[in-house]
Amino acid sequence: MASAATDDAPPAYAETVEEITRIYKSLPPRPSVEEVEAANSVLHTVETEQNLQLEEISKQQTPQDVPPELFSVLQEVKKAMVSFKSHEQRKEAAQLVELDRIFQVFDGLIQKASSLVSGGDFLGEVPDSSGVDGEFERKPVSSEEKSVDFADQEDVKSGGDLKGVYPMSCSSKAIVSSSGEIEVEKLDLLQVAAVIENSAKTKARILDLRGKLLDKVEWLPLSLGKLSTLSELYLAQSRIMALPNSIGSLETLTKLDIRANQIINLPNSFGEMQNLTDLDLSANRLKSLPESFQNLKKLINLDLSSNGFSSLPSTVGNLISLQRLNVETNDLEELPHSIGSCSSLLELRLDFNKLKALPEAIGNLECLEILTLHYNRVKRLPSTMGNLCQLMELDVSFNELESIPETFCFNASLKKLNIGKNFADLRMLPESLGNLEMLEDLDISYNQIRALPDSFRFLSELRNFHADQTPLEVPPMHITKLGAQSVVQYMADFVAERDLKYQQTKKKRGFCSYICPLLCFGIGNG
């Protein structure tokens, strides 16, 4: 509809203004400033990742058993696939950027038309490019329109364990299920970029995207580095293959959860997040850590489980604040000697690896409370383990353990000891086992132990004792089925009875050694 300013204009002028207005109204909704920024971020990210992947493909060496011509074709196929995937990733963002460019062209044309019309003596003032009937004005999305703070919705319970602020782009939808739980539709790369832009503008402290990304989202936008106020970032349960180098800009971040993704390498900038205290990298495809990782000296909890590590870098010893380290389910063959420098370590989990031994430096972890080595290839424990005066739980089951050092039994605080399933390798327990006065749980199942040490009778706190499929003779197996304290009592009675017999035998031998010479002497005199 033409404005009032064109009421007295010649019909041709009025029709022209109306035609311009009609064409403008026929365009799709104009993208917001935030959406355009997000789209540009996506295009930049996709372009960067594409170049990196193409460069990596170009560096691949021809295998000896593959003809060079065939390998060249394979490389071209890989490059074509990368280009295709990049094209798909940038398609929506490119359309949005192009739409914004079209609107900018229209802005210029409308400004030109307005100046021409308003220049006539017979026309009054015509609306400028800021609006024809209020349609042309482009406004940023308000904070109410561009984000939803689930933490502030007291009447809403999140089914996805969402924490804090979860900004949603205006193209995302929150659906309330019949149970009253919020189900957020999965986000594509453009929507993720929009979420990041909104979070940056609202200075969000927590961003939770756990399980919220579409499978085709393999990277995060470079704009992630804009989240300068973020303290917690949750990206678990997606298919992310790489983190942008810009993640190092998140200097206020304290908690980062990236478990259950497809990440192969961490960017070199990773160590710049020096305020991290909690880091979960479990269930990825990591085989190494960047050199900068040693800078994370405030790290308290680190989970590297279910990756592909065959070794840990010696720089792990620089993590002086580390209290809990989980490296379960990897391919570790050894631990670095520097692990002994992690003097604050309380919990060390090494289950399901290929460890053959522990370094002597393990004895330096005097604060250690839990050590688990289930399912490895350890044959001997270092004698320095006697220094672990705070150790409360040790699991060395399913190994190739041949013996336990006597010095280990200096750990008076130990409550749980599992040395089961060492099979034919473990044949005896240390004589000083009874020094473990606080021991409550002991498992020696599936070994070749035939007798318990005499000191077993001192384990007054023992509550659970397992000796399944172990050929025990002292005590007999039927005694072990009566409970832990029955075994303790049996050993006490057994030792007492044996000592009594020994004393009686000793007295008899002493009497005989005294009387026999006399008798023999008397007979000789007769």
Side-chain angles (χ1 to χ4, degrees), residues 150 155-162 174-184:
F150 289 149
D155 299 329
V156 178
K157 294 182 179 180
S158 171
D161 192 26
L162 299 174
I175 303 173
V176 180
S177 65
S178 57
S179 62
E181 297 181 345
I182 287 183
E183 299 176 358
V184 181

Short mmCIF file of all heavy atoms in Angstrom, two decimals, residues 150 155-162 174-184:
data_model
loop_
_atom_site.label_atom_id
_atom_site.label_comp_id
_atom_site.label_asym_id
_atom_site.label_seq_id
_atom_site.Cartn_x
_atom_site.Cartn_y
_atom_site.Cartn_z
N PHE A 150 16.17 -22.18 30.65
CA PHE A 150 15.43 -23.25 31.30
C PHE A 150 15.60 -23.20 32.81
O PHE A 150 14.76 -23.68 33.55
CB PHE A 150 15.90 -24.61 30.78
CG PHE A 150 15.45 -24.87 29.37
CD1 PHE A 150 16.23 -25.65 28.53
CD2 PHE A 150 14.27 -24.35 28.89
CE1 PHE A 150 15.83 -25.90 27.23
CE2 PHE A 150 13.86 -24.60 27.60
CZ PHE A 150 14.64 -25.38 26.77
N ASP A 155 8.48 -23.91 36.57
CA ASP A 155 7.41 -24.86 36.36
C ASP A 155 7.74 -25.88 35.28
O ASP A 155 6.90 -26.72 34.95
CB ASP A 155 6.12 -24.11 35.95
CG ASP A 155 5.67 -23.15 37.03
OD1 ASP A 155 5.93 -23.45 38.20
OD2 ASP A 155 5.07 -22.12 36.70
N VAL A 156 8.98 -25.83 34.72
CA VAL A 156 9.34 -26.72 33.63
C VAL A 156 10.43 -27.65 34.11
O VAL A 156 11.42 -27.22 34.67
CB VAL A 156 9.84 -25.92 32.40
CG1 VAL A 156 10.27 -26.89 31.31
CG2 VAL A 156 8.74 -25.02 31.90
N LYS A 157 10.27 -28.94 33.88
CA LYS A 157 11.30 -29.92 34.22
C LYS A 157 11.92 -30.43 32.94
O LYS A 157 11.22 -30.91 32.06
CB LYS A 157 10.70 -31.10 34.99
CG LYS A 157 10.17 -30.71 36.36
CD LYS A 157 9.63 -31.91 37.10
CE LYS A 157 9.12 -31.53 38.47
NZ LYS A 157 8.58 -32.70 39.19
N SER A 158 13.25 -30.34 32.87
CA SER A 158 13.93 -30.73 31.64
C SER A 158 14.21 -32.22 31.63
O SER A 158 14.75 -32.76 32.57
CB SER A 158 15.26 -29.97 31.50
OG SER A 158 16.01 -30.49 30.45
N GLY A 159 13.85 -32.87 30.54
CA GLY A 159 14.12 -34.29 30.41
C GLY A 159 15.54 -34.56 29.97
O GLY A 159 15.99 -35.70 29.99
N GLY A 160 16.28 -33.56 29.53
CA GLY A 160 17.64 -33.78 29.04
C GLY A 160 18.70 -33.38 30.02
O GLY A 160 19.83 -33.16 29.66
N ASP A 161 18.32 -33.22 31.29
CA ASP A 161 19.30 -32.82 32.31
C ASP A 161 20.00 -31.53 31.92
O ASP A 161 21.19 -31.38 32.05
CB ASP A 161 20.32 -33.93 32.53
CG ASP A 161 21.16 -33.65 33.78
OD1 ASP A 161 20.67 -32.95 34.67
OD2 ASP A 161 22.30 -34.12 33.82
N LEU A 162 19.21 -30.58 31.41
CA LEU A 162 19.78 -29.31 30.98
C LEU A 162 20.15 -28.49 32.19
O LEU A 162 19.44 -28.44 33.17
CB LEU A 162 18.78 -28.55 30.12
CG LEU A 162 18.36 -29.26 28.83
CD1 LEU A 162 17.26 -28.49 28.15
CD2 LEU A 162 19.54 -29.40 27.90
N ALA A 174 11.27 -25.72 20.76
CA ALA A 174 11.16 -26.49 21.99
C ALA A 174 9.77 -27.09 22.05
O ALA A 174 8.78 -26.39 21.96
CB ALA A 174 11.41 -25.61 23.21
N ILE A 175 9.69 -28.41 22.17
CA ILE A 175 8.42 -29.10 22.16
C ILE A 175 8.17 -29.67 23.54
O ILE A 175 9.03 -30.33 24.12
CB ILE A 175 8.42 -30.24 21.13
CG1 ILE A 175 8.76 -29.67 19.75
CG2 ILE A 175 7.09 -30.96 21.11
CD1 ILE A 175 8.95 -30.73 18.69
N VAL A 176 6.99 -29.44 24.10
CA VAL A 176 6.62 -30.00 25.38
C VAL A 176 5.87 -31.30 25.14
O VAL A 176 4.82 -31.32 24.50
CB VAL A 176 5.75 -29.02 26.20
CG1 VAL A 176 5.38 -29.65 27.53
CG2 VAL A 176 6.48 -27.71 26.41
N SER A 177 6.43 -32.41 25.63
CA SER A 177 5.82 -33.71 25.42
C SER A 177 4.63 -33.90 26.35
O SER A 177 4.36 -33.08 27.23
CB SER A 177 6.86 -34.81 25.68
OG SER A 177 7.24 -34.81 27.03
N SER A 178 3.94 -35.02 26.17
CA SER A 178 2.76 -35.29 26.99
C SER A 178 3.11 -35.45 28.46
O SER A 178 2.28 -35.23 29.34
CB SER A 178 2.07 -36.57 26.49
OG SER A 178 3.00 -37.66 26.52
N SER A 179 4.38 -35.82 28.74
CA SER A 179 4.79 -35.96 30.14
C SER A 179 5.21 -34.65 30.77
O SER A 179 5.55 -34.59 31.93
CB SER A 179 5.96 -36.96 30.22
OG SER A 179 7.07 -36.47 29.49
N GLY A 180 5.20 -33.58 29.97
CA GLY A 180 5.57 -32.27 30.48
C GLY A 180 7.04 -31.96 30.36
O GLY A 180 7.50 -30.92 30.79
N GLU A 181 7.80 -32.87 29.74
CA GLU A 181 9.23 -32.65 29.59
C GLU A 181 9.53 -31.90 28.30
O GLU A 181 8.81 -32.02 27.31
CB GLU A 181 9.97 -34.00 29.58
CG GLU A 181 9.83 -34.76 30.88
CD GLU A 181 10.60 -36.07 30.84
OE1 GLU A 181 10.97 -36.48 29.72
OE2 GLU A 181 10.82 -36.67 31.90
N ILE A 182 10.61 -31.13 28.34
CA ILE A 182 11.00 -30.35 27.16
C ILE A 182 11.89 -31.21 26.27
O ILE A 182 12.85 -31.80 26.72
CB ILE A 182 11.73 -29.06 27.57
CG1 ILE A 182 10.73 -28.08 28.15
CG2 ILE A 182 12.45 -28.46 26.38
CD1 ILE A 182 11.34 -26.75 28.50
N GLU A 183 11.54 -31.30 25.01
CA GLU A 183 12.34 -32.00 24.03
C GLU A 183 12.78 -31.00 22.97
O GLU A 183 11.96 -30.45 22.26
CB GLU A 183 11.54 -33.13 23.39
CG GLU A 183 11.07 -34.19 24.39
CD GLU A 183 10.20 -35.24 23.75
OE1 GLU A 183 9.93 -35.10 22.53
OE2 GLU A 183 9.78 -36.17 24.45
N VAL A 184 14.07 -30.76 22.89
CA VAL A 184 14.59 -29.78 21.96
C VAL A 184 14.97 -30.48 20.66
O VAL A 184 15.67 -31.49 20.67
CB VAL A 184 15.81 -29.06 22.55
CG1 VAL A 184 16.34 -28.03 21.57
CG2 VAL A 184 15.45 -28.40 23.86
#
